């Protein structure tokens, strides 16, 4: 009797953490040892940096779920960075000095808490301005619990702004809710703080002052904790621009997923989809129900999940997308397992998605990012630095009018630095023990004046983009592999 085709029923799940319910996310969210620190109330500030597709939103959502379960009385506020724009708070006063920016951020953050508290206690304010905190009031919050201060503020205006019961909630009921929340802890979870960041001095000052504001608040005000995510490539730019950031660096963590982490992500999604059928199965048995165990890759047999990990740029969301594409190909050919040919068949389509992501994510920084990427179409996959810069000179500088972060670029190393920063190219170091890749967050200064030889590193177009760009060497290798199957 033929074995059941589990691949046909397999659903790899939603790629966007914000779109799944809490129970589903908890069922297949893979935790790392250091994630417990994000739930520790004594660790009052955590800045979590990660590349696109690494699961920043999933992590923030998981933190919110875990904190709400950990202490029911805590106020957990989850917002996006875009929600904190000055326009959302009708703030129009000019900001000139760094301290102006810091105070402005503190006012906005307190206002966010104020609005959430109003919802929590059923306070039906009509005028959005009462949600704002004046700078003088913030000074009075020092050494006090933030919720207590803000609730006291509500008490003082209770009769003025809410003279009649709202939504069936009268003043007496609101006061009872005040008492239940007194001295509670606030967790402010901010996802994608830097969503539209451009490498300009004004934006570096703005973001740097945000982190200083968080630091001042945890110093001066009790009962407030922050968990913030931002892109890995943004932090080095802020760090170099503002010397105050050396005091912030201790609060920084980076999300990175190992091959084994990615393996666990796949296994948990399989278990979620088939909760009763694979009880007692180990990881290899689980994977063998969906994937051919090994594929021929780089002239040797490699575990299939490791190939998916490499092509996903170590990013879970991209890996799940590639699994879905390969699954479609396998099912179209009446196969019961995902094999190398299924990955090969959809590699180009997958690469186009990655290039599209790159364009969407960075077009606000460089309107010609698509042209920059396409300038490498049909070329080799690796270059020494002098060849890379020559390609940029002949194919980009001489034919395109490139502006990056609002500044016209006429130097090859400026464009190379941008391609490195957005992850299109990675640095490769080779020695007698093998090779290692470096990203911008690892070594951000490889194209600076002091290091303009790049330490003699090789520059490599990441594999996830190659098939879509018809990279010569890669395609030749693939043809050779296919003829030997």
């Amino acid at each position: 009797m033929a074995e059941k085709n589990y691949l046909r029923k397999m659903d790899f799940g939603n790629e966007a953490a914000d779109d799944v319910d809490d129970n589903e996310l908890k069922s297949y969210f893979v935790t790392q040892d250091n994630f417990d620190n994000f739930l520790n109330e004594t660790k009052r500030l955590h800045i979590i940096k990660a590349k696109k597709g690494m699961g920043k939103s999933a992590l923030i959502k998981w933190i919110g779920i875990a904190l709400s379960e950990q202490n029911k009385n805590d106020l957990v506020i989850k917002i996006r960075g875009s929600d904190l724009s000055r326009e959302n708070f009708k703030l129009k006063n000019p900001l000139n000095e760094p301290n102006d920016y810091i105070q402005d951020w503190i006012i906005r953050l307190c206002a966010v808490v104020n609005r959430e508290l109003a919802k929590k206690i059923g306070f039906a304010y009509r005028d959005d301005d009462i949600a704002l905190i004046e700078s003088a009031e913030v000074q009075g919050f020092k050494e006090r619990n933030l919720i207590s201060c803000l609730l006291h503020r509500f008490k003082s205006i209770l009769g003025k702004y809410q003279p009649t019961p709202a939504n069936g909630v009268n003043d007496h009921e609101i006061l009872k809710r005040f008492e239940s929340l007194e001295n509670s802890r606030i967790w402010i979870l901010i996802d994608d703080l830097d969503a539209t960041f451009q490498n300009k001095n004004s934006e570096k000052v703005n973001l740097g002052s945000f982190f200083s504001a968080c630091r001042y608040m945890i110093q001066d005000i009790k009962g407030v904790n922050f968990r913030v995510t931002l892109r890995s490539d943004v932090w080095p730019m802020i760090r170099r621009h503002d010397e105050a950031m050396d005091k912030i660096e201790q609060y920084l963590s980076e999300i990175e997923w190992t091959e084994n982490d990615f393996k666990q992500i796949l296994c948990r999604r399989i278990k979620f989809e088939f909760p009763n059928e694979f009880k007692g199965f180990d990881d290899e048995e689980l994977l063998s129900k969906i994937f051919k165990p090994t594929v021929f890759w780089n002239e040797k047999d490699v575990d299939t999940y490791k190939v998916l990990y490499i092509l996903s740029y170590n990013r879970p969301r991209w890996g799940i997308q590639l699994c879905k594409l390969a699954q479609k190909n396998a099912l179209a050919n009446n196969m019961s397992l995902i094999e190398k040919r299924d990955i090969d068949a959809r590699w180009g389509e997958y690469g186009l998605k990655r290039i599209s992501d790159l364009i969407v994510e960075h077009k606000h920084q460089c309107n010609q990012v698509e042209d920059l990427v396409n300038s490498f179409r049909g070329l080799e996959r690796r270059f020494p630095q002098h060849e890379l810069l020559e390609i940029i000179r002949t194919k980009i500088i001489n034919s395109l009018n490139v502006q990056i972060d609002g500044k016209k670029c006429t130097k090859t190393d400026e464009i190379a630095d941008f391609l490195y920063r957005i992850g299109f190219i990675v640095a490769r170091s080779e020695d007698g023990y093998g090779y290692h890749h470096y990203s911008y967050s690892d070594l951000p200064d490889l194209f600076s004046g002091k290091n303009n030889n790049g330490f003699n590193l090789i520059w490599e177009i990441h594999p996830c983009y190659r098939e879509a760009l018809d990279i010569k060497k890669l395609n030749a290798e693939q043809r050779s592999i296919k003829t030997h199957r």
Side-chain angles (χ1 to χ4, degrees), residues 205-337:
V205 169
N206 187 47
L207 271 188
S209 62
F210 167 83
F211 295 120
S212 293
C214 291
R215 180 166 164 261
Y216 289 172
M217 287 183 72
I218 65 173
Q219 286 176 351
D220 296 342
I221 303 173
K222 295 179 180 179
V224 58
N225 288 14
F226 296 94
R227 302 294 183 259
V228 185
T229 70
L230 78 161
R231 300 196 310 271
S232 296
D233 64 304
V234 171
W235 173 256
M237 290 181 277
I238 302 170
R239 175 67 181 84
R240 288 198 298 260
H241 185 265
D242 188 347
E243 63 181 18
M245 294 302 99
D246 64 346
K247 296 176 181 176
I248 299 292
E249 200 136 27
Q250 63 183 309
Y251 303 113
L252 209 64
S253 302
E254 173 121 24
I255 303 177
E256 293 180 331
W257 300 97
T258 65
E259 286 181 347
N260 188 61
D261 291 329
F262 183 67
K263 180 182 182 181
Q264 293 305 311
I265 289 169
L266 293 177
C267 288
R268 291 197 182 188
R269 293 205 176 213
I270 295 170
K271 284 181 180 178
F272 178 78
E273 197 59 28
F274 304 101
N276 301 314
E277 299 188 57
F278 301 141
K279 290 180 179 178
F281 279 38
D282 62 24
D283 291 345
E284 279 66 33
E285 289 175 309
L286 274 173
L287 292 173
S288 70
K289 297 298 181 182
I290 304 297
F291 303 96
K292 186 178 179 182
T294 63
V295 297
F296 193 68
W297 174 267
N298 202 18
E299 300 183 0
K300 60 180 180 285
D301 287 328
V302 180
D303 291 330
T304 302
Y305 76 86
K306 292 183 179 180
V307 173
L308 292 166
Y309 174 77
I310 292 168
L311 292 178
S312 69
Y313 214 152
N314 316 346
R315 309 181 191 199
R317 177 156 57 86
W318 292 7
I320 295 302
Q321 288 178 352
L322 183 53
C323 286
K324 289 180 177 180
L325 290 171
Q327 179 188 31
K328 286 182 181 178
N329 196 78
L331 294 178
N333 290 288
N334 295 315
M335 304 298 292
S336 60
L337 298 174

Side-chain angles (χ1 to χ4, degrees), residues 14 53 171 242 281 287 292 296 309 326 372 386 403 452 479:
N14 203 305
D171 290 358
D242 188 347
F281 279 38
L287 292 173
K292 186 178 179 182
F296 193 68
Y309 174 77
L372 299 187
H386 69 91
Q403 289 198 349
N452 57 13
R479 286 193 295 273

